Each structure stands twice: as C-alpha cells, then as structure tokens.
Amino acid sequence: MKNLVIVESPAKAKTIEKFLGKDYKVMSSYGHIRDLKKRELSIDEKSMEPVYEIPEEKTKVVNDLMNNAKRAEQVWLASDEDREGEAISWHLCEVLGLDEEKTKRIVFHEITKPAILEAIDHPRTIDMNLVNAQQARRVLDRLVGFKLSPVLWRKVKPSLSAGRVQSVAVRLIVEREREIQSFKCETYYVINATFGVTNEDGSASEVKAVLSQRFKTQQDAEAFLEECKDENFKVNSIQKKPSKRTPAPPFTTSTLQQEAARKLGFTVSQTMMVAQHLYENGRITYMRTDSVNLSTFCQESSKNEIIELYGKEYSKKRQYHTSSKGAQEAHEAIRPTDMTARTIEGTAQERKLYELIWKRTIASQMADAEIEKTTVEITKNFVATGEVI
C-alpha cells in the first residue's frame, strides 16, 4: 500500500475516497482512539500530566489502523482542522507509533476534490499548540468535574455535576436573575392611536401613531384622552429620509445556531448534527468556525448567481472581518461549497439548513438595501413612522 489516509468520520472517509485514486486507502478512527480513564481522575496532580487509555470498544479500530499503517509507505492524518481534530491526529501518532516528522498532516475547509488535492499538495506537521490547547481543556474538564461535583452532592443535591463552562454559566445566570429580582419597576401608560385618512384619490386608509409622551398614572392618561375627544387632528409635518441597510455577514457556528433556532426551530445539537452531515457530504465548508471570511472563489461565484437571479445592480462583493478576539481569520465562514447549487437532495432538515446557509451567503454579497424612512408628526405630539424598501 502506498498511502494511508486516516480521518475521524466514516462518512467523511467515503467522500474523500471518491476523490483520491487507487494509490490511496482512506480509513476512519471513529473519533478519538484514546481518552482519560472514565472512573478515575487520570491526571498526575503533581505534574498535571494526563494519563490516557484506549477504551475497550476502540481496540479493534486501533489494531486495524496499526496493521494498515505498518504496510503503508506514507501515512496522512486528515482529521478536522480544530483543536479536537489536531489532538486526534497526535493521539494517532502516539498510539500507532508514527514518526511525527515523517507523518503528513493535512487540513481542509471543505470536502471537495479541489480542496482535498490542494491539501495533499501542501501538507504540514502536527501543530502542538493546538494539541496542548485541547489537552489543557480536557484536563480542566476532568479536574473541575471530579473535584467540584462531590461538593455539590454533599451541599446541594446528589447526581449534580460541575463543569468548566457550565458552572461559570450558572453563576452568570444567577447574578443576572438577582439583578432582575432587585429591579424596581415603574408603571407608566402609553397611548396609541389609529387615525382615519382620506387619500388624494378619495380612498380611505389608516395610520397608526404613538404619543411621544408617557403618563405616570391612569388618571393622567384618561384626562388626556378626554381632551382628544373634540380635537381636530391634522398632519403637522412629514419628513422623509433615505437610509441604507447592510446585509448580515455569513454564518459562524454561533450565528448559524441562533438563526436555525429562530427560523427553523432547531436545537443547537440538532443544528450541529445536520451541519456535520452536510459537511461530510461535501455540501458546506467546516461548520465549527468563528470567522466571517469568504474565499475569492465563493465571492465570484456568489456574484455570478446574484447577477443571474436579480441583476448586476444587486451585486456587491464584500469581505467581512470578525471582531471576536482570537478568531481564526485564515478560516472561512460556513458557506455552500458550490454556490450554483441553490437546493440539494437529502433529508428535510438538511435541505432547510442548506437553504438557510445558501441564502445567508448570497445575501452577504448583495448591495445595501435602500430604504426611505418616513416620520409623520400629528396634532398633540402623535408620531407615526414607517419605512419602504
């Protein structure tokens, strides 16, 4: 065997195997091949070194990988490009006895033939900074869980668990709830009005307005309404101002989760599961990212789609930059791998999520929406506002 490529997902392995020739064999590690021991702290508390083991259910997978790695002239590690993926590659090197300097590590943002071949042409070695970041996170998870959970069992309730992120998040929620409980609310009254309007052509319509003044008591509000009974309401002024609205940037992991929940009713885990399937089938780029960048290829193909669908005046190439500290600018946002594929085949959930991603990517490369904002001032300080795109 000339080349052995190891990925972490069997679905990903099948897709990649289609793009590589007969000289390549693609196998899956089925995620991590070793981890901390389940029922022990598994951390040397003096050196803070983790103690790993190969779970029983992974023994056959490891043996198969080891046998094939020995026969291969070259081993390629192609796990995901994040810290978990980097750690999987490092664990494979350690367990399979691979030379880190000779073993080639490849990463790609999308599972397409050009991306895979590009990665093969530009391999690198394992990034130990990412590996150490993952190990530190894993060690902290274990220390917090094993050390704090027993305290919760004794002090609060059995079976509760403490977590590196979970415990901090609970504290933030509690502090916010205490702020809400200590807030002193004040009652006030707002008056809304609906005015009948006769248009220039004689037709009737309605205009909804709100009084700019608020009343502290119901009596004051009712007294104002009494004054309005015999009032002859008139339009005092009409102001029209042009405005523009810039499209939202393409999706990151968090914004995809938010929009999928808001528009599709998906849970976070549901969104990530469906996105994982889309990524492994070569439909979208990698779904764990905090970058809003788009490749030049995506910008050009989006431009062509917009011109074809809507016209040249609706296209505007944009490159967004994230304001998040520590974001990976070299990575890409979540986008379709082929912008000409407006719809795809798959499950209903896959089709819906793909359509959401496609529309968001296309919208991010469109011209600003031109808006006319109108403010109408009416007798007694009533104000009506509206906008037209």
Side-chain angles (χ1 to χ4, degrees):
M1 186 198 310
K2 286 189 176 181
N3 296 280
L4 173 65
V5 181
I6 304 176
V7 298
E8 74 276 34
S9 159
K12 189 175 173 182
K14 289 179 182 178
T15 309
I16 292 174
E17 207 159 35
K18 297 175 185 175
F19 305 137
L20 300 174
K22 61 182 180 179
D23 291 336
Y24 290 84
K25 181 175 182 178
V26 185
M27 296 184 69
S28 170
S29 68
Y30 294 85
H32 281 278
I33 59 169
R34 67 175 183 174
D35 197 3
L36 302 177
K37 296 178 181 179
K38 287 185 178 180
R39 300 189 180 278
E40 299 177 21
L41 181 62
S42 204
I43 295 166
D44 185 325
E45 294 190 65
K46 291 183 179 179
S47 65
M48 286 295 142
E49 286 291 326
V51 180
Y52 295 108
E53 70 168 359
I54 299 171
E56 188 177 341
E57 64 271 16
K58 285 297 180 79
T59 304
K60 185 179 183 305
V61 173
V62 170
N63 288 336
D64 288 344
L65 291 171
M66 195 173 292
N67 292 332
N68 281 274
K70 287 177 181 177
R71 297 202 309 267
E73 294 178 17
Q74 178 65 60
V75 177
W76 304 75
L77 301 176
S79 49
D80 288 340
E81 60 177 331
D82 55 14
R83 56 176 172 251
E84 288 294 328
E86 205 71 23
I88 288 173
S89 288
W90 177 74
H91 282 296
L92 285 167
C93 271
E94 293 283 305
V95 173
L96 303 183
L98 304 175
D99 185 339
E100 287 185 28
E101 295 300 319
K102 294 180 180 178
T103 303
K104 295 185 177 180
R105 171 81 170 109
I106 56 172
V107 294
F108 33 82
H109 306 302
E110 59 189 65
I111 304 177
T112 58
K113 189 172 183 177
I116 302 300
L117 297 179
E118 175 72 14
I120 292 285
D121 289 339
H122 299 90
R124 61 170 174 82
T125 56
I126 291 174
D127 185 343
M128 286 308 298
N129 288 329
L130 283 176
V131 174
N132 290 332
Q134 190 275 341
Q135 288 197 97
R137 175 180 169 178
R138 189 73 188 92
V139 167
L140 283 171
D141 279 336
R142 181 57 63 92
L143 287 172
V144 172
F146 268 60
K147 297 291 185 181
L148 290 187
S149 293
V151 177
L152 290 178
W153 301 342
R154 293 195 304 269
K155 301 289 187 181
V156 185
K157 183 183 176 183
S159 301
L160 290 176
S161 63
R164 173 180 56 88
V165 176
Q166 168 188 306
S167 301
V168 178
V170 169
R171 173 169 178 166
L172 292 173
I173 292 169
V174 169
E175 289 177 347
R176 182 61 177 154
E177 182 61 27
R178 285 173 179 165
E179 286 181 20
I180 293 170
Q181 290 175 355
S182 63
F183 177 76
K184 295 180 180 179
C185 60
E186 295 181 0
T187 303
Y188 61 85
Y189 294 82
V190 176
I191 295 178
N192 295 303
T194 302
F195 295 99
V197 178
T198 303
N199 300 318
E200 292 180 358
D201 60 0
S203 61
S205 60
E206 292 182 345
V207 172
K208 293 182 179 180
V210 62
L211 187 69
S212 56
Q213 178 185 356
R214 293 177 176 179
F215 299 97
K216 291 185 177 181
T217 66
Q218 183 176 339
Q219 290 79 6
D220 291 342
E222 289 175 346
F224 177 81
L225 291 174
E226 283 294 325
E227 293 177 17
C228 293
K229 281 185 177 179
D230 300 320
E231 186 70 46
N232 183 22
F233 289 93
K234 296 179 182 178
V235 173
N236 294 330
S237 67
I238 299 176
Q239 291 183 337
K240 293 186 177 182
K241 291 183 179 179
S243 179
K244 290 185 177 182
R245 185 177 298 156
T246 303
F251 283 131
T252 62
T253 304
S254 60
T255 55
L256 176 64
Q257 292 167 348
Q258 292 163 22
E259 281 296 280
R262 189 170 69 89
K263 291 184 177 178
L264 305 178
F266 287 6
T267 63
V268 169
S269 59
Q270 191 178 10
T271 299
M272 295 310 292
M273 180 184 68
V274 176
Q276 179 85 35
H277 291 162
L278 291 173
Y279 168 67
E280 290 175 349
N281 291 322
R283 295 297 190 181
I284 63 170
T285 53
Y286 193 52
M287 66 285 161
R288 291 186 181 88
T289 178
D290 52 10
S291 172
V292 289
N293 288 346
L294 290 176
S295 66
T296 304
F297 169 78
C298 177
Q299 290 178 313
E300 285 297 326
S301 55
S302 297
K303 176 183 175 182
N304 295 335
E305 284 296 296
I306 293 166
I307 292 173
E308 182 181 334
L309 287 169
Y310 308 109
K312 190 175 182 180
E313 66 275 17
Y314 288 93
S315 172
K316 183 177 180 180
K317 285 179 67 175
R318 301 174 186 271
Q319 187 60 281
Y320 296 86
H321 297 282
T322 182
S323 57
S324 301
K325 187 178 180 181
Q328 298 293 317
E329 289 289 343
H331 296 176
E332 270 199 88
I334 303 171
R335 63 163 178 85
T337 55
D338 179 9
M339 292 306 300
T340 62
R342 299 167 192 173
T343 58
I344 61 165
E345 293 182 359
T347 65
Q349 291 179 337
E350 288 172 354
R351 293 197 303 271
K352 287 178 181 178
L353 191 65
Y354 179 84
E355 183 182 7
L356 189 70
I357 295 169
W358 186 87
K359 286 182 176 179
R360 179 71 164 240
T361 308
I362 282 289
S364 73
Q365 298 301 302
M366 296 186 74
D368 293 337
E370 295 183 1
I371 299 168
E372 183 182 72
K373 289 188 174 182
T374 303
T375 302
V376 180
E377 293 184 1
I378 303 170
T379 307
K380 284 193 170 290
N381 293 325
F382 280 99
V383 178
T385 59
E387 59 181 40
V388 178
I389 295 178

